[in-house]
Amino acid sequence: MRSEADQVADIGESVRGLRGSEGRGRVTFVELFFDLIYVLAVTQLTHLLLTHLTPLGAVQTLLLLLAIWWAWVDTAWVTNWFDPDQLGVRLMLVVLMLLSLIVSASLPQAYGERGIWVAGAYAAIQVGRNVFVILTLGRPGTGAATESAEQKRQRLGLRLNFQRLLVWKAVSSALWVAGGLSHGPTRLAFWAAAVVIEYLAAIAGFWVPGAGKSTPADWPVNGRHLAERGQLFILIALGESILITGTVFGARPAEALHLLAFTVSFVGSVALWWLYFDRGAEAASAAIDQSENPGQIGRSAYTYFQLPMVAGIIVAAVGDDLVIAHPGGHADTVTIVTVLGGPALFLAGHLLFKRSVFATFSLPRLLAIVALAALVPVGPNVSPLALSAIATLVVAGVGVWDAIRHPRRQPILG
């Protein structure tokens, strides 16, 4: 039985812009270049949360993170089919980069004077990308070989999926723009409604009256390419975390306590990287690549369940900042929430991720989440540095458990 990746390659041989069989699973340099914009986005979100350490600030940052993630992951899906080395696709990505840069640079003032900049550029990304895809898939075969009936069916099926998707994006984008033109709680309400629509769209199969809905099987993807794109975003978030800790440490007095806090924060970032990348990442890439329904795994594992991991890294970076700045004394509520909540979010996302990819349940990750929750009442009685060190030991303990339970060459599935 031919894989979905082979089906996409078949379409690519007959439609200009789509990936053919030669480069269907390769992440290109222009995709890596595109990701640089999102380094800035993650940095801006971290600083936004740092400067608004309140429940409202957390909600505002979360909404923007959901939007940024969705803009990036939608583009990752599109480049799974469309070859970024083709001129038209590359120009589309360059335009998206410019719009994404406007969004990223404006994030600190998203709830202020630049709300319409964020909303307008974001809406242009989401609508414009889908219009490009629909127009490209609407062209007849232009390759050397004549488009077969099966290739035409696959192409038009993919085009119909994006037509459904465009309807949902148009509705959510209208709400984004309405929010950008509003102020205060009204803006937040419009944007929250837009985010809910975007995240429910895939679950609803992008159902449109008269056009029906799609299923994950209707989205033939190259699993290994999609997995690598997701892994690269995790690296972006981790890299931003290290950048934050390094910048904060460089601004502190040259004292041993700050150096120790910086070292603990770095070890914590390494522990998160280790859990995701040591062996599980490659095993997950192989699993989705060999799956009979990679679209299902791509939607659940790499679209939805990687988001809590990214959020966890951002929250943990905020906690690292607070600990390095003030390692002594007693931990306050914000420090406790970020130092313990960041790793817990990451572990929860990784647990769901592994469940989706490998159909296994990771008890060590669940126990680690429980242990972090149990540390909450202890937090006010210890220093921020001590709390950070204990949280790091909990996360590192999961990595040690994985190493003991599984031989070095054996992928970690549970």
Side-chain angles (χ1 to χ4, degrees):
M1 183 176 178
R2 305 180 72 252
S3 68
E4 293 189 3
D6 290 330
Q7 296 175 29
V8 175
D10 282 350
I11 312 175
E13 302 299 341
S14 63
V15 180
R16 181 181 300 149
L18 280 175
R19 289 179 183 261
S21 57
E22 292 184 1
R24 65 190 185 192
R26 180 172 58 90
V27 174
T28 62
F29 289 119
V30 70
E31 290 174 274
L32 299 177
F33 186 40
F34 176 84
D35 287 350
L36 293 179
I37 303 299
Y38 288 84
V39 175
L40 173 61
V42 173
T43 301
Q44 296 279 55
L45 290 171
T46 304
H47 283 295
L48 180 64
L49 183 57
L50 263 171
T51 55
H52 297 80
L53 288 171
T54 64
L56 176 60
V59 171
Q60 291 176 333
T61 305
L62 175 61
L63 279 178
L64 293 175
L65 170 61
L66 292 171
I68 290 296
W69 171 255
W70 215 243
W72 179 87
V73 83
D74 277 350
T75 305
W77 277 77
V78 167
T79 55
N80 192 274
W81 293 296
F82 287 83
D83 185 0
D85 285 335
Q86 296 287 327
L87 179 60
V89 180
R90 179 170 293 184
L91 291 176
M92 180 268 293
L93 286 176
V94 169
V95 172
L96 294 186
M97 287 178 67
L98 175 60
L99 294 170
S100 298
L101 186 58
I102 293 172
V103 172
S104 300
S106 303
L107 287 176
Q109 291 296 321
Y111 295 98
E113 60 184 13
R114 292 199 177 188
I116 189 58
W117 290 30
V118 172
Y122 181 80
I125 291 169
Q126 297 296 71
V127 172
R129 185 198 313 105
N130 286 284
V131 169
F132 170 84
V133 169
I134 291 168
L135 292 176
T136 301
L137 290 174
R139 290 199 296 260
T142 55
T146 303
E147 184 179 36
S148 68
E150 178 61 18
Q151 288 172 332
K152 182 178 181 179
R153 184 191 66 79
Q154 293 167 353
R155 172 173 59 83
L156 294 180
L158 194 59
R159 183 171 184 262
L160 177 60
N161 287 336
F162 276 97
Q163 288 174 328
R164 298 187 186 109
L165 179 58
L166 178 60
V167 173
W168 285 79
K169 294 299 182 185
V171 173
S172 64
S173 294
L175 292 173
W176 274 103
V177 172
L181 295 171
S182 305
H183 302 280
T186 305
R187 174 175 296 176
L188 191 65
F190 272 123
W191 286 0
V195 166
V196 168
I197 288 174
E198 291 208 77
Y199 276 74
L200 288 179
I203 297 174
F206 309 107
W207 178 82
V208 173
K213 69 175 185 178
S214 63
T215 67
D218 295 326
W219 297 86
V221 296
N222 183 284
R224 187 164 291 275
H225 174 270
L226 191 62
E228 187 173 346
R229 299 296 290 124
Q231 293 159 10
L232 288 170
F233 201 96
I234 294 293
L235 282 177
I236 287 173
L238 287 170
E240 184 277 337
S241 175
I242 292 173
L243 177 64
I244 287 287
T245 57
T247 302
V248 174
F249 174 66
R252 296 295 106 189
E255 299 174 357
L257 205 57
H258 293 294
L259 174 60
L260 184 56
F262 170 72
T263 303
V264 170
S265 296
F266 173 71
V267 172
S269 296
V270 172
L272 296 180
W273 175 89
W274 199 282
L275 286 183
Y276 186 90
F277 285 101
D278 184 38
R279 278 161 286 176
E282 182 58 33
S285 296
I288 187 175
D289 195 41
Q290 298 166 10
S291 171
E292 294 183 358
N293 190 2
Q296 175 65 49
I297 297 178
R299 189 183 75 177
S300 58
Y302 289 97
T303 299
Y304 286 103
F305 296 150
Q306 287 219 150
L307 180 57
M309 288 187 270
V310 173
I313 294 170
I314 291 175
V315 173
V318 171
D320 290 341
D321 184 298
L322 297 175
V323 172
I324 294 172
H326 304 286
H330 292 281
D332 58 17
T333 300
V334 172
T335 301
I336 294 169
V337 170
T338 54
V339 168
L340 300 178
L345 266 175
F346 182 92
L347 289 166
H350 202 219
L351 187 153
L352 293 170
F353 175 85
K354 291 167 71 66
R355 177 69 176 174
S356 175
V357 176
F358 304 118
T360 60
F361 184 81
S362 178
L363 182 60
R365 283 156 181 77
L366 177 61
L367 293 177
I369 294 171
V370 172
L372 291 169
L375 288 170
V376 171
V378 179
N381 302 313
V382 299
S383 68
L385 175 56
L387 187 66
S388 178
I390 296 170
T392 297
L393 286 174
V394 170
V395 177
V398 178
V400 172
W401 176 266
D402 287 343
I404 292 174
R405 285 290 305 274
H406 302 274
R408 185 65 188 88
R409 296 296 181 183
Q410 177 182 337
I412 300 172
L413 306 182

